[in-house]
């Protein structure tokens, strides 16, 4: 396999929120669903979200970013095994824009590696919305996502890249209102 060099001009910044298309990533924290919706809005094509059948929190079409509800397919899994099987099959099937899932248990190395192999085979990105401390060592990146709010604005988020197999980590404070595929970076205050 030949790796193609990055052909962008040297002064062109990389998109820090771009997910590798053939890998599975993880998002944790109370703002993980906002991060997932941000990613769903950015990935063209069909979207699949796999949830445990007994989970009451569901994405509501009226509250989703424009264009996401029309492309979203929800799958309800009866067990954790069914959830992982569904994610693996969706990743492998391709071509999908993004596969999202909310496992309830920590992912084993074997489960994480199977998902990575399925993402590579289907050339589809995956995003696992995990609980704190439930990450898999096989994940390409892991994000810690926290909402931040102020009395005048409820669109603030702090997204920290805490694991990255192919680059550096970082922290970004952003404003994303859920209506577009872009967010506004908030610069740090200078004293």
């Amino acid at each position: 396999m030949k790796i193609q060099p990055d052909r962008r001009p040297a002064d062109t910044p990389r998109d820090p929120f771009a997910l590798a298309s053939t890998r599975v990533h993880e998002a944790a924290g109370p703002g993980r669903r906002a991060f997932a919706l941000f990613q769903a809005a950015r990935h063209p094509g069909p979207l699949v979200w796999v949830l445990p059948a007994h989970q009451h929190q569901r994405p509501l079409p009226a509250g989703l970013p424009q264009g996401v509800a029309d492309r979203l397919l929800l799958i309800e899994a009866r067990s954790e095994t069914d959830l992982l099987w569904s994610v693996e099959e969706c990743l492998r099937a391709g071509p999908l824009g993004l596969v999202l899932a909310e496992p309830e248990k920590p992912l084993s190395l074997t489960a994480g590696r199977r998902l990575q192999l399925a993402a590579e085979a289907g050339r589809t990105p995956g995003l696992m919305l995990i609980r704190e401390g439930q990450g898999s060592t096989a994940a390409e990146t892991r994000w810690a996502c926290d909402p931040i709010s102020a009395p005048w604005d409820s669109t603030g988020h702090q997204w920290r890249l805490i694991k990255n197999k192919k680059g550096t980590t970082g922290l970004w404070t952003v404003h994303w209102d859920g209506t577009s595929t872009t967010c506004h970076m908030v610069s740090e205050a200078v004293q």
Side-chain angles (χ1 to χ4, degrees):
M1 183 167 108
K2 192 172 186 178
I3 305 293
Q4 294 295 324
D6 189 0
R7 301 202 186 280
R8 290 178 305 208
D11 61 344
T12 303
R14 289 186 173 267
D15 178 358
F17 308 118
L19 300 179
S21 63
T22 60
R23 305 299 295 161
V24 176
H25 308 267
E26 295 176 341
R32 66 187 181 269
R33 287 185 185 100
F35 184 78
L37 290 174
F38 174 74
Q39 291 296 336
R42 298 179 88 202
H43 285 82
L47 306 165
V48 175
W49 198 318
V50 185
L51 300 159
H54 63 273
Q55 184 173 324
H56 298 292
Q57 294 179 339
R58 299 262 186 269
L60 297 174
L64 298 177
Q66 185 175 9
V68 170
D70 300 336
R71 302 181 292 128
L72 183 63
L73 172 66
L74 289 177
I75 296 176
E76 294 181 351
R78 291 186 182 143
S79 69
E80 194 76 8
T81 302
D82 288 347
L83 183 137
L84 293 174
W85 177 83
S86 298
V87 173
E88 186 177 338
E89 290 300 309
C90 289
L91 287 169
R92 191 176 307 283
L96 296 171
L98 181 64
V99 176
L100 301 148
E102 296 190 49
E104 295 185 308
K105 297 178 182 172
L107 296 175
S108 68
L109 177 59
T110 301
R113 187 65 187 133
R114 287 180 64 98
L115 295 177
Q116 293 295 0
L117 291 171
E120 289 172 15
R123 306 203 50 80
T124 300
L127 181 60
M128 305 298 283
L129 306 182
I130 60 170
R131 292 177 171 85
E132 295 295 328
Q134 289 190 343
S136 168
T137 56
E140 183 73 15
T141 62
R142 183 171 304 123
W143 294 85
C145 307
D146 295 304
I148 54 174
S149 63
W152 61 88
D153 185 11
S154 64
T155 65
H157 303 273
Q158 192 172 69
W159 294 336
R160 288 178 290 139
L161 181 56
I162 57 176
K163 176 187 177 186
N164 187 355
K165 285 189 172 181
K166 299 228 168 74
T168 60
T169 58
L171 169 78
W172 295 268
T173 299
V174 299
H175 285 275
W176 181 63
D177 61 8
T179 61
S180 69
T181 59
T182 60
C183 62
H184 301 285
M185 301 274 190
V186 179
S187 60
E188 292 185 33
V190 178
Q191 295 186 10

